[in-house]
Amino acid sequence: MRNGAFSEQPAATPTSRRWRVSPGFTALKCAVTVLLALAAVLLAEDRPALSAALVATVVAGAYALRDLLAPVRLEADPDGVTVVAGYAGRRRLAWSQIERVRVDSRTRAGLRSEFVEIDAGDMLYLLSNYDLNARPADVADELVRIRTAGGSG
């Protein structure tokens, strides 16, 4: 086949996939944490402002740290999925444990939000486009393809 020519064979369906938070968004959270810490230093003389800056620094830092500790929020393969659970833990779910995968859409205050909802009976996992760095509808479709490719219909 010549370089640049198209193949007649269809592209293989991936049998495993990982979705992670955006590295750029994680970097932004880290930068905000540093800026808030600097603001706290500059506001050291003003106790109420210092307190507010320190609380904001801790909150922003906690979100940034979670992204650094658990950047992969969802993994899928023919045997099941691994989802982030709690702050930075992980839980492995076999396809047989998953009752339903769907996209949950809601509109509040004029803003639309979408989540991939993974229903595992006793637990419900909601992952947003910020968690996945992808559209939830695309992720749900990919999960169905991976599950089907693995023979777990």
Side-chain angles (χ1 to χ4, degrees):
M1 176 178 0
R2 290 182 297 127
N3 191 18
F6 291 100
S7 170
E8 295 295 321
Q9 297 175 347
T13 301
T15 56
S16 64
R17 184 80 195 274
R18 300 173 111 193
W19 290 272
R20 59 185 306 125
V21 295
S22 164
F25 199 49
T26 300
L28 177 64
K29 290 177 186 178
C30 291
V32 167
T33 301
V34 169
L35 289 175
L36 288 169
L38 289 173
V41 169
L42 295 174
L43 298 169
E45 297 298 318
D46 182 0
R47 293 290 182 192
L50 173 63
S51 297
L54 288 175
V55 168
T57 301
V58 169
V59 170
Y63 279 111
L65 184 61
R66 181 177 191 230
D67 287 356
L68 295 171
L69 292 175
V72 175
R73 298 293 208 260
L74 176 64
E75 292 182 69
D77 60 44
D79 297 323
V81 299
T82 302
V83 293
V84 73
Y87 182 72
R90 289 178 174 73
R91 182 168 177 206
R92 180 71 182 168
L93 301 168
W95 287 117
S96 61
Q97 294 175 276
I98 298 172
E99 295 177 7
R100 179 176 61 185
V101 174
R102 72 180 190 102
V103 177
D104 180 37
S105 289
R106 296 175 191 249
T107 303
R108 289 199 177 127
L111 298 174
R112 182 176 180 82
S113 61
E114 287 187 338
F115 297 90
V116 171
E117 180 183 289
I118 299 174
D119 185 351
D122 61 334
M123 290 295 294
L124 187 65
Y125 299 93
L126 297 172
L127 301 157
S128 71
N129 58 333
Y130 297 110
D131 291 315
L132 304 167
N133 197 23
R135 289 183 53 235
D138 295 340
V139 173
D141 290 344
E142 187 71 18
L143 289 173
V144 168
R145 279 193 288 279
I146 291 170
R147 183 178 194 167
T148 303
S152 301

